Amino acid sequence: SASFVGTRFLELETAPLPGINDDATFDCVGLINTSCQQPDWRHTASLRFSRDFYTTQLRWRHVGGMDYEEITGEPGTTDLILVDNGNQLGSYNYIDLSGSFDITPTINWTIGVNNIFDKEPPMVGGTLVLNANAPGGYDQLGRFIFTNMTFTY
């Protein structure tokens, strides 16, 4: 089986002074700055193969790039990491792999690896936020292995 879930933002208006100064309203789509962190596109795609007593799954998580631009439309200047990168935060991709199999008709074991290639989240300077200098929505943990066992009766 295959699945694909994607989100495309067309508009995300932010009003810093709602009802007081409607002219200050701006669109955050595709921007990163002190007020915005919104890629215009992100998706998760999965391929899953099941047969008899086992299943394997490959998953691709994508976070689109963002322009470092102030709410005025001017290029951002305070975050030197992004300035040195052409005032952009590039897109990011993560690949995950998992498999499960039935040990018995009532016991299922799953094991997997998320972020197989150990892609680190994008780093930005302290002027923008955030979560240990990385924007939210990215894989903060790096590569990790997981497992679980399910018992049914």
Side-chain angles (χ1 to χ4, degrees):
S1 64
S3 70
F4 182 87
V5 177
T7 302
R8 170 94 168 147
F9 274 87
L10 301 176
E11 184 178 72
L12 180 62
E13 286 191 345
T14 301
L17 302 170
I20 297 172
N21 184 2
D22 291 334
D23 293 335
T25 301
F26 56 92
D27 188 6
C28 275
V29 173
L31 299 180
I32 184 168
N33 56 44
T34 54
S35 300
C36 304
Q37 291 182 55
Q38 186 58 60
D40 60 350
W41 176 256
R42 65 185 317 136
H43 72 255
T44 301
S46 298
L47 292 175
R48 181 180 171 123
F49 178 80
S50 295
R51 181 157 181 132
D52 299 327
F53 64 93
Y54 67 92
T55 300
T56 59
Q57 179 173 323
L58 182 66
R59 183 172 67 169
W60 168 31
R61 297 177 286 144
H62 173 81
V63 180
M66 294 178 276
D67 293 327
Y68 179 40
E69 201 174 276
E70 299 299 337
I71 60 175
T72 60
E74 298 294 318
T77 58
T78 56
D79 193 303
L80 298 180
I81 294 173
L82 291 176
V83 169
D84 289 345
N85 197 34
N87 275 48
Q88 291 186 329
L89 180 61
S91 62
Y92 270 64
N93 296 289
Y94 301 102
I95 304 296
D96 308 325
L97 180 65
S98 65
S100 66
F101 65 95
D102 297 329
I103 297 172
T104 70
T106 60
I107 301 173
N108 178 275
W109 182 39
T110 301
I111 188 166
V113 180
N114 281 0
N115 193 358
I116 290 175
F117 301 110
D118 198 21
K119 178 111 176 161
E120 293 183 8
M123 300 304 285
V124 296
T127 60
L128 288 180
V129 224
L130 300 165
N131 183 7
N133 288 355
Y138 294 87
D139 193 336
Q140 303 291 327
L141 295 176
R143 179 187 312 124
F144 69 93
I145 297 171
F146 65 91
T147 186
N148 73 39
M149 195 168 279
T150 305
F151 299 91
T152 57
Y153 61 93

